[in-house]
Amino acid sequence: MSNVPVAVVTGSNKGIGFAIVRALCKQFQGDVYLTARDPSRGQEAVAKLQEEGLRPLFHQLDIDDLQSIRALRDFLKQKYGGLNVLVNNAGIAFKVRDTTPFAIQAEVTLKTNFFGTRNVCTELLPLMKPYGKVVNVSSMASSSALGGCSQELQQKFRSDTITEDELVELMTKFVEDTKKSVHEKEGWPNTAYGVSKIGVTVLSRIQARMLNEKRKGDHILLNACCPGWVRTDMAGPQATKSPDEGAETPVYLALLPSDADGPHGQFLSNKTIRSW
Ligand code: NAP
């Protein structure tokens, strides 16, 4: 088993994830895994970074596929005995002009952004080594979507006692409500992406709380963040930040020094804690 520290970035064959891998290759003292659901897109991305003189490693990972997540889990356990840095970056967004029915957009978006990210956490958080860092890439869209929720939902999403099961129930209810076209009546905002990212931000708050309760002595720091508005296939060429600039806050959180006791359980953008 290797004693080398190890970092994993999900959805890193392009966009912000790719830039996070680039930055970690330069700054993280250990092995950095670029992961992709499609191995050929992943290998191409690795080759691009190799041309820059960097040495990322590759592992397949489709966060929609539990088998794929578990294969990575088993690999990390066997080769490294755990994991030091996990960046949950993989995500999807339908384009504004996409005419796919809203209920389908809700189901597909929540499947990857919330349920996929949660499955990765369920399988990989138990592997986190002491002083490990977990970064869940959410979005400011989660804050604005929160503002668009009914008072009752806002209270639940801001609660310091909401459980993961309760959050899963709420995310499932959103998808069901869109199918019945009652989501607005039920207090939800009209954004599947925004709700999926509420899920990611609230999940992070819950996971940080659980770490405090169950593994306080391990000093693991877990946060959610927004990378900003970044020029990628998702956000388009008009966005204000380059992918490398978008990587800055996630990388800052992934590389917090071992003597830092925070941030933990926070939502940040531009390396600054935002209120939730
Ligand atoms: P992007 O360029 O579209 O890249 C998304 C990455 O996620 C791709 O590598 C994609 O792989 C991967 N992915 C999607 N579904 C996956 C799955 N099931 N399993 C594994 N990988 C999967 O988007 P981006 O702008 O870099 O976004 C990265 C993260 O930042 C997302 O979570 C996004 O919501 C968030 N974010 C972005 C912005 C922005 O302005 N760009 C703003 C706020 C938050 P494929 O190539 O195979 O599709």
Side-chain angles (χ1 to χ4, degrees), residues 42-252:
Q43 295 290 3
E44 266 176 46
V46 165
K48 258 192 236 165
L49 290 175
Q50 283 171 343
E51 279 169 26
E52 297 177 18
L54 302 171
R55 290 281 167 269
L57 298 163
F58 176 73
H59 203 285
Q60 193 272 346
L61 176 65
D62 180 345
I63 70 164
D64 290 343
D65 175 359
L66 203 47
Q67 270 190 2
S68 165
I69 298 173
R70 289 183 173 155
L72 175 63
R73 176 201 63 189
D74 293 345
F75 167 80
L76 291 168
K77 227 191 237 176
Q78 205 178 17
K79 179 152 188 206
Y80 298 93
L83 179 59
N84 302 84
V85 169
L86 171 63
V87 183
N88 280 303
N89 163 81
I92 60 159
F94 282 82
K95 301 286 180 220
V96 179
R97 60 179 180 282
D98 196 304
T99 55
T100 304
F102 187 64
I104 308 280
Q105 294 200 17
E107 181 158 39
V108 172
T109 307
L110 273 276
K111 182 181 169 175
T112 300
N113 294 5
F114 177 70
F115 292 101
T117 300
R118 173 176 180 252
N119 285 341
V120 173
C121 290
T122 304
E123 300 299 332
L124 297 191
L125 289 194
L127 261 63
M128 291 308 299
K129 292 190 176 179
Y131 300 94
K133 311 284 183 289
V134 182
V135 185
N136 294 331
V137 180
S138 184
S139 169
M140 289 304 271
S142 69
S143 310
S144 36
L146 180 67
C149 287
S150 65
Q151 284 306 318
E152 190 188 336
L153 279 175
Q154 287 192 33
Q155 207 176 3
K156 288 180 179 167
F157 289 132
R158 290 197 174 105
S159 155
D160 288 328
T161 53
I162 183 173
T163 64
E164 192 169 322
D165 285 348
E166 286 165 348
L167 176 63
V168 166
E169 234 173 76
L170 284 167
M171 292 291 115
T172 306
K173 181 175 186 301
F174 170 68
V175 175
E176 293 306 314
D177 286 349
T178 63
K179 286 184 186 159
K180 294 183 270 180
S181 297
V182 297
H183 63 283
E184 283 178 294
K185 194 174 119 269
E186 292 295 309
W188 296 102
N190 215 16
T191 157
Y193 180 77
V195 171
S196 76
K197 292 299 190 179
I198 289 179
V200 174
T201 304
V202 176
L203 182 67
S204 309
R205 289 161 56 89
I206 296 168
Q207 288 167 337
R209 216 174 67 218
M210 290 301 112
L211 286 169
N212 287 347
E213 285 176 19
K214 301 200 169 121
R215 298 186 60 184
K216 190 75 187 161
D218 284 342
H219 305 279
I220 296 165
L221 298 178
L222 183 153
N223 292 285
C225 69
C226 177
W229 191 31
V230 185
R231 291 187 293 279
T232 63
D233 287 348
M234 181 182 287
Q238 305 302 325
T240 45
K241 285 187 180 180
S242 69
D244 289 331
E245 288 165 339
E248 280 175 19
T249 296
V251 169
Y252 155 74

Side-chain angles (χ1 to χ4, degrees), residues 13-28:
N13 53 288
K14 66 177 185 179
I16 298 163
F18 180 77
I20 294 172
V21 170
R22 175 189 278 132
L24 289 180
C25 283
K26 292 176 185 170
Q27 297 175 57
F28 177 73

